[in-house]
Amino acid sequence: MSQDIYQPNPEFAKNATIKSMEEYHALVKKSNDDYEGFWADYANEKIDWFKPFDTVLDESNAPFVKWFDGGQLNVAHQCIDRHLDTRKNKAAIIFEGDRGDVQTITYLDLYKNVNRFANLLKEDFGVKKGDRVVIYMPMIPEATYAMLACSRIGAIHSIVFGGFSSEALKDRIADAEAKVVITADGAYRKTKPYMLKPVVDAALEGESPVKKVLVVERNHEEVTWVAGRDYSYNELIKSKSTHCKAEPMDSEDPLFLLYTSGSTGKPKGVQHNTAGYILWAQMTMEWVFDVKENDTYWCTADVGWITGHTYIVYGPLAMGATTVMFEGVITHPDAGRPWAMVENHRINQFYTAPTAIRVLHKMGEEEPSKYDLSSLKVLGTVGEPIDPPAWKWYYEEVGNSNCAIVDTYWQTETGGHVVSPLPGATPIKPACATLPLPGIMAEILDPETGEKVGEGESGYMCITRPWPAQIRGVWGDEERYKKSYFGDVQKDGKAVYFTGDGAIYGADGYITITGRTDDVINVSGHRMGTAEVEAAIKKHNNVAEVAVVGKPHELKGEGIFAYIVLKSDEGIADEIAEVKAINTIIKKEIGNIALCDDMIFVSGLPKTRSGKIMRRILRAIAKDEPITQDISTLEDPSIVAKIESMVQCKMC
Ligand code: WTA
């Protein structure tokens, strides 16, 4: 076997949930032989049903599918109540604040806090089953209580990442027609307070469906209170009962919305429903992270992203694990922070993004050796392709060549992992997501023929059968759901789910994800639609045209590269002012995460005669790669050389 293959640690494998490739293949065979039976068995075993389901999978209205129809359950009950008999005093959440303050929340504490929160939403805010509640929160335990309180009473939460601007928040509130926003005054970053409430205030200016705002007072900085709209959580919660009925929810009742970028238009509200989502969140926790009863698990994501939903909150709590939640910045006060946390909390599973690994590697190559990291068993990565040097450092220096690295491939739309190593079974390769998880029919298909591609060949990463945690719809837009995910690839005459990613098969069917095939860029593991960034830049009144592409970035994976045509050339005389003005607009429209790494002012864009911008050419120029396309068919072929010289001039 090639040197680049690492076998699972045999000691670890002995006690792993899935212990060998034989077990893996047996599970895959079972799911192939009897797909519905496979899922029905797990659904019966893992979920504490209020009412059993009648059917397993209903595909009669595909791509709109139903899993476990007829069943009733409650996600907050699954994540809390059912553990109380055996895990009442076990830590559910260990919270570490930015300034090192630590809070341990037991399952009983969690039960009480969530019930109080749920009663507050019902009694004081009139929130009912099916209502949409926007959560715009920092990484504090109350964010978790808010999510679980919504699921307890059947309200649909929509978390908006705290780094998004007021305009982005406003759009998401409007699209979901949310009547309540839960926020905080602010929180701490690098020991300093920062604010969220003013962003909410700005988002609610003018017409808004939001009638009430709940404010968790975390940093107690001065904020504006609008009478009759804004209420203090810290005050209202005091009088609330610690008991609240868990609403019986149908398997297919919506659980949450999470807005994510697509290749066109505005972000879409990805909808996840109750039973299928929580089942897969729990199963993948058990399989992929192999969390045992006394383990402590830490995922560094933010609850504003899907990783935070599934692998900080729902997955770990559904299985009764101890999940660590972190408010701060992992490189503060220095790049040893995460390793100090691993040592202090005796963390067994650590899950982060390749960007974080690259930054920690660059800023603190030697830091891991200063701490006792011997508790670590499984290391995970997510969100973007990881490069082999970062992978090796993670494996050797953080994991001491003893821990499996699970390179988990998945998306907001898949709800949970779909392609990933199993730490006790799968031989791993640097920067390779390896194999589909049992029960997930993930295949790399040729987009033209719908056939599975062969070894060494690349194609489109597809999932050919519905799976329980699959996206159920785009909020308020059935057509967009069908078109975005089921429009590009057909297998045996049937539309199959296309992820938007390209991938390549290695030996033994190992899958390496090569990145997006569409106009979505992946900045530090965060999805960014080029169309969204372009729309923001176009708001500048001197911008005539703009095209945004991704460009490889040493730390962030991809950076944002914008080609801008100004209406009047006078602007170019003061390029710095123009860049500043455009950045201000991007910050206002989307947030700092969408700021461009490069802006190049050009005299025109390469377009076909029908006016289509040839992004492939722009991508090649940004990457300083040769242009392989025929440019003679362009409306103005000479523009390419002009752009090239401007880029070279700017970069030199
Ligand atoms: C990318 C994050 C390579 C991919 C969970 C996908 C990855 C997008 C990996 C989803 C991985 C995620 N290797 N690429 N292990 N994991 N991606 O919705 O392009 O924020 O489509 O979900 O991230 O991003 P999202």
Side-chain angles (χ1 to χ4, degrees), residues 605-614 630-638:
L605 296 171
K607 286 187 194 157
T608 60
R609 289 196 184 109
S610 59
K612 190 170 175 279
I613 297 172
M614 297 305 289
D630 176 12
I631 58 168
S632 64
T633 56
L634 293 181
E635 191 185 39
D636 171 14
S638 72

Side-chain angles (χ1 to χ4, degrees), residues 217-237:
E217 292 171 274
R218 161 76 179 147
N219 65 16
H220 302 276
E221 295 290 311
E222 187 79 31
V223 292
T224 308
W225 294 90
V226 175
R229 189 195 73 183
D230 302 346
Y231 295 86
S232 159
Y233 163 87
N234 308 43
E235 285 304 317
L236 293 185
I237 205 72

Side-chain angles (χ1 to χ4, degrees), residues 344-553:
N344 293 339
H345 300 293
R346 303 297 296 155
I347 284 162
N348 306 102
Q349 294 84 9
F350 177 71
Y351 191 32
T352 195
T355 293
I357 298 167
R358 285 190 289 267
V359 170
L360 291 166
H361 180 193
K362 189 163 179 213
M363 288 179 62
E365 189 162 4
E366 307 298 329
E367 289 293 329
S369 63
K370 299 181 189 163
Y371 297 89
D372 176 5
L373 304 184
S374 60
S375 56
L376 287 172
K377 296 190 281 192
V378 178
L379 301 173
T381 78
V382 59
E384 49 178 326
I386 180 167
D387 43 297
W391 192 99
K392 286 214 161 154
W393 178 76
Y394 199 31
Y395 185 80
E396 288 165 7
E397 303 304 323
V398 180
N400 196 23
S401 304
N402 249 328
C403 302
I405 292 190
V406 287
D407 179 349
T408 62
Y409 167 73
W410 60 297
Q411 323 176 281
T412 304
E413 293 86 345
T414 67
H417 306 146
V418 286
V419 178
S420 172
L422 294 164
T426 319
I428 48 175
K429 271 175 58 176
C432 176
T434 73
L435 297 165
L437 290 171
I440 302 291
M441 304 301 177
E443 289 181 320
I444 308 174
L445 302 180
D446 179 325
E448 301 299 322
T449 63
E451 302 277 336
K452 192 169 167 171
V453 304
E455 186 178 325
E457 288 175 358
S458 55
Y460 281 17
M461 192 69 243
C462 296
I463 306 178
T464 57
R465 290 211 66 177
W467 66 104
Q470 163 182 328
I471 172 177
R472 290 302 195 276
V474 171
W475 186 252
D477 198 342
E478 290 196 354
E479 275 312 304
R480 195 163 177 207
Y481 167 69
K482 287 196 248 178
K483 234 177 113 203
S484 308
Y485 304 107
F486 299 91
D488 289 325
V489 189
Q490 299 232 328
K491 186 183 174 174
D492 303 327
K494 224 175 82 187
V496 296
Y497 177 87
F498 171 44
T499 58
D501 286 303
I504 180 163
Y505 275 128
D508 296 330
Y510 270 38
I511 293 169
T512 297
I513 304 293
T514 49
R516 303 287 305 191
T517 62
D518 53 13
D519 286 324
V520 171
I521 40 191
N522 198 326
V523 184
S524 302
H526 303 316
R527 270 161 77 168
M528 194 56 62
T530 50
E532 276 170 83
V533 184
E534 288 168 3
I537 296 175
K538 275 190 199 144
K539 297 220 160 155
H540 184 291
N541 54 19
N542 196 22
V543 170
E545 283 185 298
V546 52
V548 163
V549 297
K551 177 188 172 185
H553 186 283

